[in-house]
Amino acid sequence: ILLYRNPPKWAHFTLSFILRNAGTSETETVVQVRPKWVVHLLRNTHSEAKLWSLLKGSQLEDRKFRRQHSVGSYVLDFYCPSERLCIELDGDSHYEEMNFAYDKARTDFLNSLKIRVLRFKNNEIGESLEWVLGEIRRSFIRRTTPAPP
C-alpha cells in the first residue's frame, strides 16, 4: 500500500494500490478515501480494539472517550475531553530512535494545549490490562469517588 499526498478538496490523502490478476498483467486501482478512513486502515490494531471495547460508551468511571480524535495535525488513539487526557498505544516502531523526537514534539504540542498524554505499549494491553486501566483511572483529575488515603 502506498500513501501519498495529492488531495482533492474533500480528502487529504489518496490511497493507491496494485491488484495482481491471475495472469502476469497488473491493474492499478486508485481509491480516494477520507482522512478518518485512511487512519482507520493504517492504525487499527488488536490492542486498540481491545482497549476501545472497555473505554467506549463511558464504561470507565463514566468518562466519555473518543477514538482516533484529531487535534491539530495529529490523530490521537483515544481522547477524553472532560479530562483533557490523551491515551496512546505504541508499537515497536515508537521505540526506534528516529521516532523519539516525533513523539516528544507531539507530546509537547498536546501539553501546550493542556492535554495530558498517557503512553502504553501495545503488549501491555494483552499482558497487563487491569494495570493499564488502573493507570488511566489514577490519571483522572475529576474523581467521582474520593481517592483512597
Side-chain angles (χ1 to χ4, degrees):
I1 295 178
L2 301 172
L3 188 64
Y4 59 91
R5 286 184 179 264
N6 188 6
K9 289 181 180 180
W10 57 269
H12 294 162
F13 299 97
T14 300
L15 185 62
S16 176
F17 56 94
I18 304 292
L19 297 175
R20 295 195 185 270
N21 293 330
T24 57
S25 64
E26 295 182 55
T27 304
E28 181 175 345
T29 305
V30 176
V31 179
Q32 293 178 339
V33 292
R34 295 185 186 273
K36 281 193 173 186
W37 287 104
V38 172
V39 169
H40 179 73
L41 288 170
L42 297 176
R43 302 187 69 206
N44 189 22
T45 67
H46 176 72
S47 297
E48 285 182 16
K50 188 170 188 173
L51 184 57
W52 179 240
S53 72
L54 299 169
L55 296 177
K56 68 182 178 181
S58 303
Q59 296 179 73
L60 188 65
E61 301 287 326
D62 203 33
R63 301 312 197 279
K64 179 177 175 52
F65 280 86
R66 298 175 184 162
R67 185 173 183 189
Q68 302 295 318
H69 179 72
S70 298
V71 175
S73 61
Y74 300 107
V75 178
L76 313 182
D77 290 340
F78 305 100
Y79 179 65
C80 178
S82 65
E83 295 288 336
R84 299 191 66 80
L85 177 66
C86 164
I87 299 172
E88 289 294 309
L89 299 185
D90 295 338
D92 293 336
S93 66
H94 287 268
Y95 299 99
E96 295 172 3
E97 191 169 330
M98 63 185 263
N99 290 326
F100 281 128
Y102 174 83
D103 285 343
K104 182 177 180 349
R106 175 186 168 112
T107 298
D108 290 346
F109 171 76
L110 293 171
N111 290 162
S112 76
L113 299 175
K114 307 283 190 258
I115 297 173
R116 296 171 296 125
V117 180
L118 284 181
R119 290 188 174 279
F120 300 101
K121 295 178 183 177
N122 277 334
N123 66 338
E124 289 174 329
I125 301 302
E127 297 169 5
S128 308
L129 183 58
E130 286 305 317
W131 174 81
V132 168
L133 294 174
E135 290 297 305
I136 295 169
R137 282 185 192 100
R138 280 187 281 287
S139 74
F140 291 153
I141 294 171
R142 182 181 56 84
R143 297 190 181 274
T144 53
T145 56

